[in-house]
Amino acid sequence: MAADEAQRASPDALLALAKKEGRGHLKIFLGAAPGVGKTFAMLSAGRTEKSGGRDVVAGLIETHGRRETEQLVEGFEFLPRKPIVYRNQVMKEFDLDAALARRPNLLLVDEYAHTNVPGSRHPKRWQDIDELLAAGIDVWTTLNIQHLESLNDVIQKITKVRVRETVPDTVFDRADEIVLVDFPPDELLKRLAEGKVYVQDTAARAVEHFFKPQNLTALRELALRRAAERIDVDLVSRMQAQAIEGPWAAGERILACIGPDPISPVVVRTAKRLADLMDAPWLAVTVERPGANLDAAARRSLDEAMALAQSLGAETQTLSGSDLPAELLRFAKFENVTQIVIGRANGGFVSELLRRSLPHELVRRSQDIAIHLVTRQSETATAPRAPHRTLQPTFEPLHFLYATLSVGGVDGFPAGGAIDRVELRHLAGDLYLSAVVLRL
C-alpha cells in the first residue's frame, strides 16, 4: 500500500466537517448536578469574550437567586422574554424570534434540556438552539448529566428520581465543544447548606433525596466518563479529518481481530473484558482477501463471531486487503487503536519455518500498539488445570536439524535478492530458539 493512501483523510470525517460549514458553534457546559457552577462558568467565559470585542448577548440566564451569578450577569445585553398564556397564566419563555432578529455573534442560553411552555414554536429548548445554530449563530448553553436520554434509567436507579426533561444523545454528540464543570460532592453539599444553591427549605428536601453524598459521587463519575468518551470521539474525528497517523495514547482503544476460526469468540470476549477493565471503547474487525470466498461453514462461523462482538457493544467493520497485517495496522492507526487482541491457531514448526503467522507479523511490524495474543487453550476455561511441574528443556533432534539447516542456508541467498538476507537471519534465529521445547 502506498504511503499517500495510508495517510488519506477519512471521507466520513471530512463530510462531517463540511456539514458544519455555515452552522453556529455549540458549546455545552456540562455538570454532574445543579449548583456545580455551570452558569457561573459560562458567564465568566462570556465576559472574557465580550471584553475582547465579541458581540455577546444573554438570551436567557437562570440565576436561581444566586448572588455570585447575578453579579456576573451585569453588563450583558439581555433579550426580553416572550410572554405565553397557558392555563390562564402568563409564562415567560426564551424569545427565539427576537434572538434570530438580533443575530449576535454569540448567544448565551441556559438550561439546554428545558421543556418549553405549550404554544412555543418548539417543544424543547434544545430545538430552539438547533434553529439558532442553523442560522449561523454561536450558542453556549448548560446541561446536567442526568438530562442525557441514554442515562435516564441509570439516573433513576441511582437517585430514585425519574428525570422528565431529557436531551437526545445524538444532539449532545453533535456539540462542537464540551466543557466539564467539576465540583467535589462535599463542597457542593456545603454550598447547599449555606443556601447558595437553593433556599433553605428546598435545600433541606434536596439533601434528603437527590443530593445524597453517594448520589453526587455517582453522578460526578457519570459526568467524567461521558465527557471523556466525547473527547475521545472528537480526538479520533480530528485525526481522521487531518490524516494524522496514530496511535495517540491519550486514551485506550481496543481492537479485536477475528476470522472464521474457532478461537474468534474467545478473542471477542477477551477484548470485551479488556475494554471493560480499562473503561475503553473497542472495535472488532475482520480482513477478507480480494477474490477469496469462504465456504458455508466458515462464513457462518465468521458471522456468528461478528454478531457476538456487536451484541457485546463493539463497533464492527469488514476490511479488504491482500496483506492482512498491513491492513490491520493501517486501520488500527487510523482509528487511534492502542491495543490489539488476536488469536493464535495451532501451527507446527514447519509452518513457522515456511511463513510467519499473522500475530508474529503484527508484533514485528507494530511499534506503538500493544498486541495481546489469545491461545486456543483459552476456550477450555472449565478444563482441569494440569499439575505444576518444573520447566524441563527437551531435546528434539529433528527440530535442531531444521533450524541448523535454516541458519546455514541463509548465506546461500544472494545479497539484494527477493528475500533479504538480514530478514532471513532473524527468522532462522527465531526458529533456532524455538527448537528448545519446554514441557509443562
Side-chain angles (χ1 to χ4, degrees):
M1 179 179 294
D4 59 339
E5 292 180 355
Q7 298 296 325
R8 186 176 299 164
S10 164
D12 291 337
L14 291 175
L15 181 60
L17 291 177
K19 287 181 178 179
K20 292 185 177 182
E21 289 294 328
R23 283 181 61 88
H25 183 102
L26 176 61
K27 178 186 288 189
I28 298 177
F29 290 80
L30 178 68
V36 299
K38 302 179 301 300
T39 303
F40 188 92
M42 180 177 71
L43 289 171
S44 298
R47 290 180 74 92
T48 302
E49 294 289 314
K50 189 174 184 296
S51 64
R54 192 173 185 184
D55 180 22
V56 183
V57 173
L60 187 144
I61 302 296
E62 297 286 1
T63 65
H64 297 288
R66 296 164 190 158
R67 185 177 177 182
E68 301 95 330
T69 306
E70 290 175 345
Q71 291 174 343
L72 278 177
V73 169
E74 296 175 3
F76 280 104
E77 176 188 344
F78 262 85
L79 293 179
R81 298 195 184 192
K82 181 179 181 179
I84 299 177
V85 178
Y86 177 66
R87 293 184 177 178
N88 298 323
Q89 292 185 347
V90 178
M91 314 292 288
K92 293 187 176 181
E93 284 284 10
F94 170 65
D95 195 335
L96 175 58
D97 290 319
L100 291 168
R102 171 61 178 80
R103 198 177 180 83
N105 183 262
L106 172 61
L107 189 67
L108 310 181
V109 184
D110 228 341
E111 299 187 356
Y112 194 40
H114 173 77
T115 300
N116 292 330
V117 173
S120 303
R121 179 144 80 243
H122 300 297
K124 297 285 188 176
R125 185 166 293 164
W126 67 261
Q127 294 171 312
D128 293 339
I129 290 177
D130 196 55
E131 187 171 337
L132 292 167
L133 296 170
I137 300 172
D138 291 351
V139 179
W140 291 1
T141 188
T142 60
L143 180 72
N144 287 324
I145 191 65
Q146 68 263 26
H147 294 293
L148 273 184
E149 177 62 39
S150 65
L151 298 176
N152 196 256
D153 293 339
V154 177
I155 298 299
Q156 184 180 24
K157 186 175 181 180
I158 293 172
T159 65
K160 305 299 186 291
V161 175
R162 169 67 74 177
V163 177
R164 301 297 177 185
E165 296 181 320
T166 60
V167 170
D169 287 57
T170 52
V171 175
F172 177 83
D173 292 335
R174 285 202 304 264
D176 299 278
E177 188 174 355
I178 302 295
V179 177
L180 179 65
V181 183
D182 189 31
F183 207 75
D186 291 342
E187 292 295 321
L188 181 57
L189 290 171
K190 182 179 178 181
R191 282 174 52 83
L192 193 67
E194 294 171 349
K196 295 181 179 180
V197 178
Y198 297 124
V199 295
Q200 292 298 331
D201 290 344
T202 305
R205 292 195 300 271
V207 171
E208 293 175 0
H209 297 91
F210 193 87
F211 280 78
K212 292 180 180 179
Q214 64 270 25
N215 291 356
L216 294 177
T217 300
L219 292 171
R220 187 187 187 199
E221 182 174 354
L222 285 174
L224 290 168
R225 287 188 176 186
R226 194 63 177 83
E229 290 172 6
R230 178 63 176 73
I231 291 170
D232 179 71
V233 171
D234 186 55
L235 172 64
V236 174
S237 297
R238 291 179 184 274
M239 291 176 66
Q240 292 179 354
Q242 299 176 35
I244 300 173
E245 186 178 86
W248 285 6
E252 300 293 342
R253 288 175 68 84
I254 314 299
L255 176 65
C257 303
I258 59 180
D261 45 305
I263 200 172
S264 287
V266 185
V267 172
V268 169
R269 296 187 182 97
T270 301
K272 168 62 175 173
R273 289 194 297 270
L274 190 62
D276 287 346
L277 181 64
M278 298 183 174
D279 193 24
W282 66 295
L283 309 94
V285 301
T286 186
V287 184
E288 297 183 353
R289 286 189 172 90
N293 294 316
L294 298 176
D295 58 40
R299 173 57 61 184
R300 183 170 56 254
S301 178
L302 177 59
D303 291 344
E304 289 174 354
M306 294 289 273
L308 174 63
Q310 283 184 321
S311 69
L312 295 178
E315 175 187 339
T316 60
Q317 191 165 339
T318 299
L319 310 177
S320 178
S322 55
D323 188 340
L324 270 61
E327 183 63 21
L328 283 171
L329 290 175
R330 180 202 64 80
F331 179 81
K333 293 175 182 178
F334 185 75
E335 291 290 341
N336 202 33
V337 166
T338 58
Q339 306 201 37
I340 294 177
V341 183
I342 189 169
R344 184 175 74 90
N346 287 333
F349 179 82
V350 177
S351 66
E352 284 289 335
L353 174 65
L354 297 176
R355 61 181 179 86
R356 291 181 185 269
S357 64
L358 177 57
H360 192 166
E361 281 295 285
L362 287 177
V363 171
R364 190 175 68 89
R365 299 189 195 186
S366 65
Q367 295 179 344
D368 302 317
I369 302 176
I371 309 296
H372 297 265
L373 187 60
V374 179
T375 61
R376 193 176 298 276
Q377 282 75 13
S378 301
E379 293 179 279
T380 56
T382 57
R385 295 182 61 183
H388 176 74
R389 283 185 280 179
T390 306
L391 296 177
Q392 296 289 342
T394 304
F395 181 75
E396 298 285 351
L398 186 59
H399 287 188
F400 273 106
L401 175 60
Y402 286 146
T404 303
L405 291 174
S406 300
V407 174
V410 167
D411 293 325
F413 284 94
I419 302 177
D420 186 80
R421 182 180 295 174
V422 175
E423 178 68 15
L424 279 172
R425 286 187 182 278
H426 285 301
L427 176 59
D430 291 343
L431 296 174
Y432 194 85
L433 290 174
S434 67
V436 177
V437 181
L438 300 179
R439 297 185 181 274
L440 293 175

